Amino acid sequence: MARPLGRLARPTLRAKITLVVVAAAVLAIGVTVVASYRSVSDLVADELERGLEDRADTVTALLGASRKPPVRPDVTEQVLLADGTVRPLDPGRDRLPVSDADREVARTGTGTSRQDVFVSGREYGVLTKALPDGGAVMVGQHYQGVARVENAFLWRIPWTTVAATGLSAVLSWIVLGRILRPVSRLARATGRITTTQDLSTPLPPAGADEIGQLTRSFDAMLGALRRSRAQQQQLVQDASHELRTPLTSVRGSAELLQRARGRLDPKDEEQILTTLVTETTALDELVRELVELATDRYTGEDPASVDLPAAAEDSAQRYRQRTGRDITVTAEGPVPVRARPRALQRCVDNLLSNAVKFSEAPAPIALHVQGNRLTVRDHGPGIAPDDLDAVFDRFYRGPRTQSIPGSGLGLAIVHDIITADDGTVFATGAQGGGAEVGFQLPAAAPKPGRRSLQFPRERHP
């Protein structure tokens, strides 16, 4: 099957990295070539200077022995007398031009002179050196040999660069193909998941390198998405089941009032209206808690160091004013806990709401904080031993509490919030009747110079 033109025209990650590697190789080769050329040029220049010095010393020694120096094709020599007269050592060669500095060396018989000159269209390096008996010897060597070395070096540079660049490109393409193969497999797997929406699609095996870490991170993310989708589906199923009962009751009561049209006994009509109000109140509470459970309003809240007794006292004070109940708060060795402040306050409120709902007045309700553990004690019907692990499930209503209005979501919200903050929840039966329900959060020692987050306390008289 033909691939889309746009996909063909779009460079792959492998091609991009290969281009970067090749560009880096070309840059490195360029820097190396420039540095090498300068080194070679300096080396050749040093060799030329030493060659002129050695040739001048050789000619001086041979002249002192009344011998004629051997002829070299790349070198021209002549003697410059003290009066400025030039005597060629090889009459067939072009004469080297004489400068004032050269004449000064010949006249004084001391020192040296160095210059570059052109003779018959060729450049020469000329060294003038004083002779022991007066005058000077002038040795000139043309730069054709030097030029040949530089030209040969420069001629090899393009071929070397092309060969090195090509080799870098081929090796990079091969090595990157092996390195990026797990990435390609991971990309294909995630592409299938995106297309099919099938979160159960397996990912390729994870290695021990960074790509393996990326694969494991993707796998963990898929696991979280699978659990989230399963929880959403279960929530929808549970919510539809729980909403059906109060809606049926509301609809039946409304239809009865519609059919009777004022013919009901006032007591019966009052009972039906009471049922309507009760069921709509329950519906309102159920919908509100469903929305809170599904959206988790506290997800964006940052954890902080929280004073647990202060949070308990804040909730207790509000419920005292709202219900008039006897609610006490005690603390034993409290320590700051690490949690989301508003979410934690919601948990304490839910525990108190359950205690008030299932414990009739004037039975007292007690909140006790011990270290990083908070417990709410009520004197209601209690929790059966078989139901201790189920009370935190969504929509769960124990057999002892079926007659009491409620949504069955309060403790489920507590469970989700506390476990999200790395805490644990618990429920036990209490001696003398009732139940103890609470949670424990990780302790968080306050940083030096900083205080734990305080909730406003209103002392109950």
Side-chain angles (χ1 to χ4, degrees), residues 266-347:
K267 292 183 179 180
D268 294 337
E269 185 175 348
E270 181 66 25
Q271 183 178 0
I272 293 173
L273 291 176
T274 301
T275 301
L276 282 173
V277 172
T278 302
E279 295 297 340
T280 52
T281 301
L283 274 175
D284 179 69
E285 181 181 0
L286 179 59
V287 170
R288 176 178 57 80
E289 291 189 336
L290 277 174
V291 171
E292 183 169 342
L293 192 63
T295 58
D296 189 1
R297 296 185 294 113
Y298 309 106
T299 302
E301 188 179 10
D302 293 329
S305 181
V306 182
D307 187 345
L308 202 51
E313 180 62 36
D314 182 66
S315 293
Q317 182 64 22
R318 284 186 282 105
Y319 273 84
R320 293 187 193 112
Q321 296 174 352
R322 186 182 305 171
T323 64
R325 300 291 297 271
D326 180 14
I327 302 174
T328 61
V329 177
T330 58
E332 180 180 348
V335 297
V337 295
R338 186 75 175 172
R340 295 167 291 171
R342 290 189 296 113
L344 176 63
Q345 198 70 61
R346 173 62 172 165
C347 291

Side-chain angles (χ1 to χ4, degrees), residues 381-405:
I383 304 173
D386 295 339
D387 298 334
L388 292 177
D389 293 332
V391 293
F392 292 99
D393 294 341
R394 296 174 180 179
F395 304 106
Y396 180 81
R397 304 289 301 280
R400 302 181 183 181
T401 59
Q402 292 288 342
S403 59
I404 301 176

Side-chain angles (χ1 to χ4, degrees), residues 102-359:
D102 298 332
R103 294 188 181 91
E104 183 67 18
V105 171
R107 185 181 65 82
T108 61
T110 59
T112 60
S113 173
R114 175 69 175 85
Q115 59 183 334
D116 292 332
V117 298
F118 282 89
V119 179
S120 301
R122 292 190 298 183
E123 187 177 10
Y124 281 77
V126 178
L127 174 65
T128 302
K129 190 171 186 179
L131 291 172
D133 297 331
V137 61
M138 298 179 65
V139 178
Q141 182 177 359
H142 61 69
Y143 288 122
Q144 286 185 349
V146 176
R148 280 195 301 270
V149 173
E150 292 184 348
N151 291 336
F153 182 79
L154 293 175
W155 177 253
R156 291 187 178 95
I157 285 176
W159 298 108
T160 304
T161 303
V162 170
T165 302
L167 182 61
S168 299
V170 172
L171 291 178
S172 299
W173 186 262
I174 295 174
V175 173
L176 286 172
R178 295 179 62 86
I179 294 175
L180 296 177
R181 193 171 300 157
V183 177
S184 300
R185 290 197 293 263
L186 180 60
R188 287 193 295 269
T190 54
R192 286 194 298 271
I193 294 172
T194 302
T195 303
T196 63
Q197 298 295 309
D198 182 9
L199 299 180
S200 62
T201 301
L203 295 180
D209 55 5
E210 289 81 358
I211 299 175
Q213 295 177 7
L214 178 64
T215 302
R216 286 189 289 272
S217 298
F218 269 107
D219 196 31
M221 180 183 66
L222 284 177
L225 288 175
R226 285 192 292 268
R227 290 190 296 272
S228 177
R229 177 178 289 184
Q231 291 173 356
Q232 288 177 359
Q233 293 173 348
Q234 186 64 40
L235 179 62
V236 171
Q237 294 172 4
D238 293 342
S240 62
H241 173 75
E242 294 295 326
L243 287 170
R244 190 174 295 115
T245 300
L247 284 175
T248 301
S249 178
V250 169
R251 181 177 179 179
S253 299
E255 289 178 348
L256 180 58
L257 286 176
Q258 185 182 37
R259 288 195 303 270
R261 293 190 181 277
R263 296 192 300 272
L264 287 175
D265 184 87
K267 292 183 179 180
D268 294 337
E269 185 175 348
E270 181 66 25
Q271 183 178 0
I272 293 173
L273 291 176
T274 301
T275 301
L276 282 173
V277 172
T278 302
E279 295 297 340
T280 52
T281 301
L283 274 175
D284 179 69
E285 181 181 0
L286 179 59
V287 170
R288 176 178 57 80
E289 291 189 336
L290 277 174
V291 171
E292 183 169 342
L293 192 63
T295 58
D296 189 1
R297 296 185 294 113
Y298 309 106
T299 302
E301 188 179 10
D302 293 329
S305 181
V306 182
D307 187 345
L308 202 51
E313 180 62 36
D314 182 66
S315 293
Q317 182 64 22
R318 284 186 282 105
Y319 273 84
R320 293 187 193 112
Q321 296 174 352
R322 186 182 305 171
T323 64
R325 300 291 297 271
D326 180 14
I327 302 174
T328 61
V329 177
T330 58
E332 180 180 348
V335 297
V337 295
R338 186 75 175 172
R340 295 167 291 171
R342 290 189 296 113
L344 176 63
Q345 198 70 61
R346 173 62 172 165
C347 291
V348 181
D349 288 349
N350 281 10
L351 294 179
L352 268 180
S353 176
N354 266 21
V356 170
K357 185 187 302 180
F358 298 127
S359 180

